Amino acid sequence: MLDKNILIGVTGGIAAYKVVEVASRLKKSGANVRVMMTRHATEFVSPRTFQEITGNAVSVDMFGDAANFHVAHIALADFADAILVAPATANFLAKAAHGLCDDLLTTTIVASDKPLLIAPSMNTKMFDNPATQENLRILRSRGAKILEPATGSLACGTSGKGRLPEAVDICAAVEKLFATGTLSGKKILVTAGGTVEAIDPVRYIGNRSSGRMGCEIARSAVDAGAQVTLIAGKIEVTPPPNLTFVSVESATQMREEVLKIFDTVDAVIMSAAVADFRVKNPSAQKIKKSDETLMLELVKNPDILRELGTLKKTQVLVGFAAETQNVLDYANKKLVEKNLDFIVANDVTAEGAGFGVSTNIASIIWRGGNVENFAKMSKSALATKIVERVATVIGRHG
Ligand code: C5P
């Protein structure tokens, strides 16, 4: 919620006091919070309480605070990235459904085209009243999100549907207003960079991977609303923000970290260049220079992706095939052997493709043989294409 501008409208219900906690939580999560109250709401909670919690002046009257806001309802509507109305009374619902503008709150709502979340709270009979239900239907049909009231004891002494949901649930619903991407609510694991296999404490066997492609995929998945874990070997770029970053060295460590979360993710995009071999007995001390030939005995590394292919349940699996010849043939073979949904193949020797550069020339090969050939494009643009396809396959799985 960092730097999101949230405008909270508080109307005159007893549950107004609970919205103090909502404002506080949103503020703590990094949002800029402004509160506007109806006259009746100020009978339940003092504007000063919201002012102290949010650090911002609270607006009540259309013409009250002319020094700060020349045209208050327009200024407040422009400030908001989203508007929350909580608690929303039956009176507010009726006015908002019909576009009435008889106070600051309703006028601001009409002046705004931003996402609107409404949390009704009232006596059960008032909530169930056909007029209220019809007003809710109208508001929903115009795109407003309505948070269902909770059931329990009500201020009027009865029990039933009509309680304002808990502050934590209201805040989660506000956050959800911003998670509109194709991967929202999905967990994606991306691997990037090259693994490092120790020869001794100083030297290692590595490869030319820069981690650019994997980091762009991770960034694109974050932008699509996913919860992303990026497990990276050696990378030359800064990992993107807003994800869980796990740094590893060897293929063995990468395998361990991948297997720890594999069961919990919806897709794995394995773009890391994982070394196929490691040194059998890395030296504990720096190997000294000699005139003799140096023999390193190499043993096979685990093939992480192949293992995931045998373990996979509903996870979407995407592999990469960085080749120097017979690209499509080799890629197709790997697609089948590793039980992948699709594989991204590229000739790393082609100009503008492969390691270190910011562009790539790739093909996507699907199970069943369909091939998509892409022209040279930025790794960022290719990442978007890959992530779009992952979202489509996840969607098909339901
Ligand atoms: O078989 P090859 O190494 O060419 O396959 C490449 C694909 O398999 C990439 O997606 C890479 O991340 C993955 N891989 C792996 N473990 C290995 C080698 C490759 O997961 N040991």
Side-chain angles (χ1 to χ4, degrees):
M1 295 299 289
L2 196 62
D3 293 332
K4 294 277 186 303
N5 294 328
I6 308 298
L7 183 59
I8 304 179
V10 184
T11 69
I14 180 71
Y17 76 94
K18 287 192 185 173
V19 181
V20 174
E21 192 190 337
V22 173
S24 166
R25 281 177 178 270
L26 290 173
K27 169 108 176 122
K28 282 193 189 125
S29 69
N32 305 314
V33 182
R34 280 186 175 274
V35 174
M36 44 182 178
M37 302 174 80
T38 61
R39 262 286 145 222
H40 286 152
T42 65
E43 298 289 331
F44 295 93
V45 179
S46 158
R48 181 165 291 276
T49 307
F50 283 113
Q51 185 177 317
E52 294 302 328
I53 292 286
T54 63
N56 285 317
V58 172
S59 311
V60 179
D61 292 322
M62 285 288 284
F63 310 106
D65 201 6
N68 286 339
F69 283 125
H70 181 50
V71 185
H73 57 285
I74 303 297
L76 285 165
D78 285 348
F79 155 83
D81 293 317
I83 301 181
L84 162 70
V85 181
T89 56
N91 181 47
F92 167 80
L93 297 177
K95 290 197 284 183
H98 298 283
L100 256 69
C101 302
D102 66 350
D103 61 12
L104 180 63
L105 171 57
T106 48
T107 312
T108 306
I109 299 276
V110 172
S112 167
D113 57 3
K114 297 294 165 46
L116 174 63
L117 175 67
I118 298 173
S121 171
M122 64 200 74
N123 164 277
T124 311
K125 284 193 179 135
M126 291 177 81
F127 184 74
D128 286 341
N129 186 292
T132 305
Q133 287 302 313
E134 177 63 5
N135 291 332
L136 286 169
R137 192 196 58 71
I138 292 171
L139 288 163
R140 265 197 206 97
S141 73
R142 298 203 185 120
K145 300 266 179 302
I146 310 293
L147 206 54
E148 276 299 295
T151 301
S153 57
L154 300 170
C156 50
T158 59
S159 180
K161 191 169 184 179
R163 282 172 63 88
L164 191 72
E166 293 308 312
V168 62
D169 296 322
I170 297 176
C171 292
V174 173
E175 279 181 34
K176 224 172 134 196
L177 292 176
F178 296 96
T180 52
T182 50
L183 285 176
S184 99
K186 303 296 175 197
K187 292 186 179 157
I188 308 292
L189 165 58
V190 182
T191 66
T195 60
V196 162
E197 307 295 338
I199 297 171
D200 67 18
V202 180
R203 290 88 165 206
Y204 62 83
I205 298 175
N207 59 65
R208 296 184 198 278
S209 171
S210 64
R212 278 190 181 79
M213 192 68 238
C215 285
E216 288 303 336
I217 292 168
R219 187 193 313 277
S220 183
V222 169
D223 289 346
Q227 211 177 312
V228 178
T229 302
L230 174 62
I231 301 178
K234 197 165 172 293
I235 54 176
E236 290 167 14
V237 288
T238 311
N242 303 324
L243 48 69
T244 304
F245 182 68
V246 181
S247 175
V248 296
E249 284 209 334
S250 64
T252 314
Q253 285 171 1
M254 184 172 275
R255 173 180 174 271
E256 264 172 37
E257 294 298 332
V258 166
L259 289 180
K260 263 188 211 167
I261 64 163
F262 181 60
D263 275 349
T264 68
V265 300
D266 298 286
V268 181
I269 305 168
M270 195 78 202
S271 83
V274 186
D276 292 327
F277 294 94
R278 68 177 178 278
V279 177
K280 188 176 181 189
N281 295 308
S283 170
Q285 305 301 331
K286 185 178 172 189
I287 300 170
K288 301 308 287 178
K289 203 178 285 168
S290 80
D291 295 333
E292 306 300 320
T293 316
L294 176 66
M295 296 289 289
L296 290 175
E297 192 178 350
L298 303 180
V299 290
K300 208 157 172 9
N301 261 338
D303 188 321
I304 305 168
L305 195 49
R306 183 185 286 255
E307 193 172 344
L308 300 185
T310 64
L311 296 173
K312 99 168 181 183
K313 296 187 183 92
T314 55
Q315 294 95 332
V316 174
L317 281 190
V318 177
F320 273 72
E323 302 292 349
T324 56
Q325 54 181 341
N326 301 334
V327 179
L328 292 185
D329 285 351
Y330 284 144
N332 210 9
K333 201 159 162 263
K334 277 177 208 174
L335 173 78
V336 176
E337 282 174 3
K338 302 192 188 203
N339 194 20
L340 309 179
D341 291 83
F342 66 85
I343 192 160
V344 185
N346 62 331
D347 181 343
V348 288
T349 61
E351 173 105 19
F355 302 122
V357 292
S358 62
T359 52
N360 215 343
I361 307 168
S363 302
I364 287 184
I365 304 156
W366 291 86
R367 285 196 91 99
N370 277 353
V371 178
E372 296 180 89
N373 292 311
F374 298 109
K376 180 160 108 180
M377 63 177 76
S378 67
K379 285 185 174 169
S380 159
L382 181 60
T384 307
K385 300 231 173 273
I386 293 166
V387 166
E388 277 169 6
R389 281 151 184 78
V390 168
T392 305
V393 184
I394 292 177
R396 263 187 235 139
H397 288 188

